[in-house]
Amino acid sequence: MAGWLVKSEPHDWSWQDQQETTIEPWTGVRNFQAQNNMRAMKVGDLVFFYHSGKNPAIVGLCKVSKSAYPDPSDDTKRFCLVDLKAVSSAATPVSLASIKADPDFQHLALVKQARLSVMPIDKEAWQKLYKMAAFPA
DNA sequence: GCCAACGTTGGC
DNA sequence: GCCAACGTTGGC
C-alpha cells in the first residue's frame, strides 16, 4: 500500500484545523514534483500529516478522500489537488530530529529534499514511522 | 530572523 | 535550450 506525507505550516493550516474539519481540499501545492506525487494518490491512501516550522514533526494521519482533480482556483489550469480527511492523531509525534537521527530514514525526501511538500513514503519506512507515532487503532 | 537549498522564470 | 537571477521554503 502506498503511503504519503504532506507538510503544512501550522500557522497556515495546522493539524488542529484539519481535525476540526471533515474534508480538506489540499490547495496551494505549486511544485511540479509535489504535484506529480499528488496525482499518484488514490482514494483511501494514507497520508502522514507533518508540521513544518517550529518543532517539525509528524503529528497526524489522514486519508485521501478524493484523488487528484483540477484546482478550480488555478487560472493556469496546471495544478491539481486532493481532498484529505483526518483519521487519527499521533500519540507520540515523530520529530524531524528523530527521523534524521535514524539511519533507516536517510533516503526519505523529508531528509534529503527539505523543500518538497508532498512525498511518497516507502513501505518499510512507513511501517516504522507508523509505529513510532503510535496511532490509536 | 537568518541563511542555505532549490525550483521557477525569463533573457538571450 | 541553457543558465543566471530571483523568490520561496523551511530548518536552525
Side-chain angles (χ1 to χ4, degrees), chain A residues 90-107:
Chain A
T92 318
V94 183
S95 71
L96 179 62
S98 62
I99 290 168
K100 281 191 161 172
D102 192 320
D104 288 349
F105 296 138
Q106 296 309 304
H107 64 289

Side-chain angles (χ1 to χ4, degrees), chain A residues 5-9 12-15 18 23-30 35 38 41 47-51 62 66 69 71 80-85 117-118:
Chain A
L5 182 146
V6 296
K7 291 184 182 176
S8 187
E9 167 63 47
D12 182 39
W13 182 255
S14 72
W15 177 238
Q18 181 73 39
I23 298 227
E24 175 64 14
W26 204 254
T27 55
V29 175
R30 292 291 182 268
Q35 279 284 316
M38 276 208 307
M41 290 183 187
V47 183
F48 286 136
F49 189 104
Y50 170 92
H51 274 168
C62 290
K66 187 170 182 184
Y69 60 97
D71 184 340
C80 288
L81 58 90
V82 296
D83 288 351
L84 295 181
K85 184 172 177 294
S117 60
V118 180

Side-chain angles (χ1 to χ4, degrees), chain A residues 59-84:
Chain A
V59 291
L61 184 68
C62 290
K63 190 158 71 174
V64 177
S65 62
K66 187 170 182 184
S67 56
Y69 60 97
D71 184 340
S73 69
D74 170 34
D75 295 335
T76 69
K77 306 286 181 238
R78 286 195 291 173
F79 298 111
C80 288
L81 58 90
V82 296
D83 288 351
L84 295 181

